[in-house]
Amino acid sequence: ETGVTQSPTHLIKTRGQQVTLRCSSQSGHNTVSWYQQALGQGPQFIFQYYREEENGRGNFPPRFSGLQFPNYSSELNVNALELDDSALYLCASSSYDPTGELFFGEGSRLTVL
Amino acid sequence: AQSVTQLGSHVSVSEGALVLLRCNYSSSVPPYLFWYVQYPNQGLQLLLKYTSAATLVKGINGFEAEFKKSETSFHLTKPSAHMSDAAEYFCAVSFSGGYQKVTFGTGTKLQVIP
């Protein structure tokens, strides 16, 4: 059974640039959630994709967008990067079940200069 | 809206001592509650969860937590700390209905002193 993998693991961007982060979900999971974890904070929910559609969103602006593909892998796109976007971005895959476990990848650490 | 509050951003215990990490929740509907652990430079891993069955929940690595509705608490305990328990611990809440949004607390970093 393959776990959740994310790429890239680290990246550095400058203000105003755009970034795409990728996530391969665990086998058998149809739901992908993205979280932002700033330094010293808990993960903050960005959005969730279920069967290729966004079906829930946290308090993040529209410049945060995503996709889910037929194989349930996912992308997180952030446009017009700001310094405060510097964080660890975590992808979690799961079954569509509020009681279910989230299986996290190791994250993509984004630094915006 | 659902939320969790973790009391104490840093907790230090001696090896072999009791571990107690505190979590209080706020929810207008029956909650599902979780504890996750994060080791340095890794993603989060589920320790245990409460989903309205038994109020005392046992998890991995000897951890357990008790759901107390009257106190709106879900504290995490382990009778005897091990060096390998040093990590950051996050309490989280979810609820039935709608999408699977899990709301995390701010975390408690556990230090185990030899």
Side-chain angles (χ1 to χ4, degrees), chain B residues 16-98:
Chain B
L18 171 71
V19 176
L20 170 60
L21 304 182
R22 299 178 187 274
C23 172
N24 289 88
Y25 70 90
S26 171
S27 177
S28 55
V29 296
Y32 303 124
L33 294 160
F34 308 83
W35 277 97
Y36 281 82
V37 61
Q38 186 176 34
Y39 297 100
N41 301 313
Q42 294 188 23
L44 282 73
Q45 177 186 7
L46 182 69
L47 274 178
L48 49 80
K49 64 179 180 181
Y50 165 77
T51 58
S52 76
T55 57
L56 182 61
V57 180
K58 295 187 184 298
I60 62 172
N61 301 336
F63 284 94
E64 62 182 38
E66 186 171 9
F67 172 71
K68 292 187 176 181
K69 185 177 179 180
S70 60
E71 298 177 9
T72 62
S73 68
F74 190 58
H75 302 331
L76 181 70
T77 60
K78 182 175 180 177
S80 176
H82 192 274
M83 294 299 294
S84 61
D85 295 327
E88 190 154 22
Y89 293 80
F90 293 93
C91 183
V93 63
S94 179
F95 65 100
S96 178

Side-chain angles (χ1 to χ4, degrees), chain A residues 31 33 35 37 40-45 48 55-57 88 90 94-102 104-106, chain B residues 32 34 36 38 41-46 49 51 88 90 94-107:
Chain A
T31 303
S33 303
Y35 287 81
Q37 186 178 19
Q41 300 295 318
Q44 297 292 313
F45 177 77
Q48 179 181 84
N55 73 331
R57 190 176 186 93
L88 181 68
L90 294 166
S94 61
S95 305
Y96 191 72
D97 175 2
T99 70
E101 177 178 357
L102 295 175
F104 284 87
E106 294 190 352
Chain B
Y32 303 124
F34 308 83
Y36 281 82
Q38 186 176 34
N41 301 313
Q42 294 188 23
L44 282 73
Q45 177 186 7
L46 182 69
K49 64 179 180 181
T51 58
E88 190 154 22
F90 293 93
S94 179
F95 65 100
S96 178
Y99 55 92
Q100 185 192 19
K101 175 183 176 182
V102 179
T103 301
F104 288 85
T106 53

Side-chain angles (χ1 to χ4, degrees), chain A residues 33-67:
Chain A
S33 303
W34 285 92
Y35 287 81
Q36 180 195 66
Q37 186 178 19
L39 204 61
Q41 300 295 318
Q44 297 292 313
F45 177 77
I46 302 175
F47 44 55
Q48 179 181 84
Y49 278 82
Y50 171 64
R51 294 186 175 178
E52 302 179 56
E53 291 194 4
E54 181 183 303
N55 73 331
R57 190 176 186 93
N59 189 26
F60 281 81
R63 59 189 186 84
F64 285 77
S65 63
L67 286 172

Side-chain angles (χ1 to χ4, degrees), chain A residues 4-71:
Chain A
V4 178
T5 57
Q6 293 187 241
S7 63
T9 54
H10 294 82
L11 69 167
I12 300 173
K13 294 285 187 178
T14 56
R15 274 193 330 177
Q17 285 189 312
Q18 178 265 343
V19 68
T20 297
L21 308 178
R22 295 178 175 82
C23 172
S24 294
S25 60
Q26 185 162 311
S27 175
H29 289 169
N30 56 15
T31 303
V32 173
S33 303
W34 285 92
Y35 287 81
Q36 180 195 66
Q37 186 178 19
L39 204 61
Q41 300 295 318
Q44 297 292 313
F45 177 77
I46 302 175
F47 44 55
Q48 179 181 84
Y49 278 82
Y50 171 64
R51 294 186 175 178
E52 302 179 56
E53 291 194 4
E54 181 183 303
N55 73 331
R57 190 176 186 93
N59 189 26
F60 281 81
R63 59 189 186 84
F64 285 77
S65 63
L67 286 172
Q68 186 181 31
F69 300 100
N71 65 355

